[in-house]
Amino acid sequence: KMKEVSKSIERKQERERRRKMTINRTASFLILTTSTAVAFVNHPKIQLVRSPKRFSRTSLNAVDVVSTANLVGTTIDGFYHAQPYAAAFITCSTKATAADLVVQSKRKEVEDKSEKIDEKDEIDLQRTFAFWLYGGFYQGCAQEYLFSNLFPSIFGDSHSFITVVEEVFADNLLLSPFLCLPSAYLAKAAVDSKQNLQCGLQRYMDDVKDEGLLKRYWTLWIPVQFLTFGFVPDHLRVPFVAFVSFFWLLILSSISASSAPRRE
């Protein structure tokens, strides 16, 4: 029995080591790609202004911190103004990947104690890559176009209550059930060699029926989108939605993870 307990502990330690190694590799990849994208984007409106004053540790005070924070805030705001699609892709792809990694890292192990450790990593990189695609291309670039170009052309630029209601319900009753949510499942199916697009759509329908996916979505996003269309500046709508959708993707990724074993 002591030998079995010892082997069980060793297996758990090995799984934890593999999990941490995979997370570190994924984090390094994200940092590298994000840094490369930011370096590639060079717009004259985005200027990092260096202060003529060199700060030392002894001279750093509250004014210096506030000035630095204002400079950083101005630079980020200028980036979202000047390069909306690049900013949206970087923000949302990184956010989606981080959300999925959080879910996978916190997921309880359900393997039998006697099962041998296989060669696979504890982190499902195919699923993480699918969320990276979904975050970058749909939640980032597509929503930037929808919120900043399509919706204003249809509903106008007014922030009146009637206009906001129209935009919220167009987003939640038309775009979300027929474009937003299915695209997440299609992205996962596209990178999974064991699935096809039809399987992805079937999984979406099953989660709507069995997991209450749309009810969960509307519970969160109808109130949030009233804030998005009613109060948030146009060029900051996507980053605001990205911040909230980090928590939504925790829910979506959890549903994806919990429903997979039943189908298998």
Side-chain angles (χ1 to χ4, degrees), residues 93-129:
S93 62
T94 303
K95 173 266 308 176
T97 303
D100 185 62
L101 288 176
V102 168
V103 169
Q104 293 200 54
S105 65
K106 298 296 183 182
R107 186 176 55 192
K108 294 181 179 180
E109 297 179 358
V110 294
E111 298 177 353
D112 188 80
K113 292 182 179 180
S114 62
E115 184 179 352
K116 295 182 180 179
I117 297 175
D118 55 19
E119 295 299 323
K120 295 182 179 180
D121 291 317
E122 291 294 320
I123 299 297
D124 186 348
L125 293 179
Q126 282 189 333
R127 198 181 84 174
T128 300
F129 181 63

Side-chain angles (χ1 to χ4, degrees), residues 15 24 31 52 57 98 114 122 131-132 143 146 152 171 180 217 226-227 235 254 261:
R15 282 195 293 266
N24 289 336
I31 292 172
R57 292 183 179 180
S114 62
E122 291 294 320
F131 275 93
W132 181 82
Q143 286 194 336
L146 292 172
D171 178 63
C180 171
Y217 184 92
F226 270 102
L227 294 176
H235 70 288
S254 297

Side-chain angles (χ1 to χ4, degrees), residues 148-168:
S148 300
N149 295 277
L150 183 63
F151 274 26
S153 68
I154 296 175
F155 303 107
D157 296 326
S158 171
H159 291 277
S160 66
F161 179 74
I162 297 300
T163 301
V164 171
V165 169
E166 291 174 343
E167 291 176 323
V168 168

Side-chain angles (χ1 to χ4, degrees), residues 71-255:
L71 175 61
V72 172
T74 301
T75 303
I76 293 175
D77 185 71
F79 178 57
Y80 279 97
H81 260 300
Q83 296 290 341
Y85 288 99
F89 184 90
I90 293 170
T91 301
C92 294
S93 62
T94 303
K95 173 266 308 176
T97 303
D100 185 62
L101 288 176
V102 168
V103 169
Q104 293 200 54
S105 65
K106 298 296 183 182
R107 186 176 55 192
K108 294 181 179 180
E109 297 179 358
V110 294
E111 298 177 353
D112 188 80
K113 292 182 179 180
S114 62
E115 184 179 352
K116 295 182 180 179
I117 297 175
D118 55 19
E119 295 299 323
K120 295 182 179 180
D121 291 317
E122 291 294 320
I123 299 297
D124 186 348
L125 293 179
Q126 282 189 333
R127 198 181 84 174
T128 300
F129 181 63
F131 275 93
W132 181 82
L133 290 174
Y134 170 68
F137 286 103
Y138 177 77
Q139 292 191 317
C141 297
Q143 286 194 336
E144 173 63 30
Y145 171 75
L146 292 172
F147 294 165
S148 300
N149 295 277
L150 183 63
F151 274 26
S153 68
I154 296 175
F155 303 107
D157 296 326
S158 171
H159 291 277
S160 66
F161 179 74
I162 297 300
T163 301
V164 171
V165 169
E166 291 174 343
E167 291 176 323
V168 168
F169 283 96
D171 178 63
N172 281 274
L173 299 182
L174 295 177
L175 292 180
S176 298
F178 300 107
L179 178 61
C180 171
L181 293 172
S183 65
Y185 287 79
L186 291 175
K188 185 177 187 301
V191 300
D192 190 344
S193 59
K194 297 180 181 179
Q195 297 187 45
N196 54 38
L197 297 183
Q198 184 177 357
C199 291
L201 287 176
Q202 185 60 49
R203 293 188 67 174
Y204 167 62
M205 297 302 298
D206 291 343
D207 283 346
V208 170
K209 181 175 64 175
D210 300 330
E211 300 290 337
L213 177 61
L214 284 177
K215 291 181 181 179
R216 299 188 192 194
Y217 184 92
W218 289 328
T219 300
L220 173 66
W221 284 106
I222 288 179
V224 167
Q225 294 297 56
F226 270 102
L227 294 176
T228 303
F229 295 115
F231 301 98
V232 177
D234 292 353
H235 70 288
L236 294 179
R237 284 178 176 178
V238 169
F240 172 73
V241 170
F243 171 76
V244 178
S245 66
F246 174 82
F247 302 99
W248 162 248
L249 282 179
L250 295 181
I251 299 172
L252 183 60
S253 189
S254 297
I255 293 174

Side-chain angles (χ1 to χ4, degrees), residues 23-64:
I23 291 177
N24 289 336
R25 288 202 302 263
T26 306
S28 299
F29 169 76
L30 284 174
I31 292 172
L32 177 61
T33 53
T34 302
S35 300
T36 303
V38 172
F40 178 78
V41 176
N42 183 17
H43 194 279
K45 292 184 179 180
I46 303 175
Q47 300 281 339
L48 286 177
V49 181
R50 294 184 178 180
S51 173
K53 180 179 178 181
R54 293 188 177 181
F55 299 111
S56 64
R57 292 183 179 180
T58 57
S59 66
L60 189 64
N61 53 42
V63 176
D64 299 332

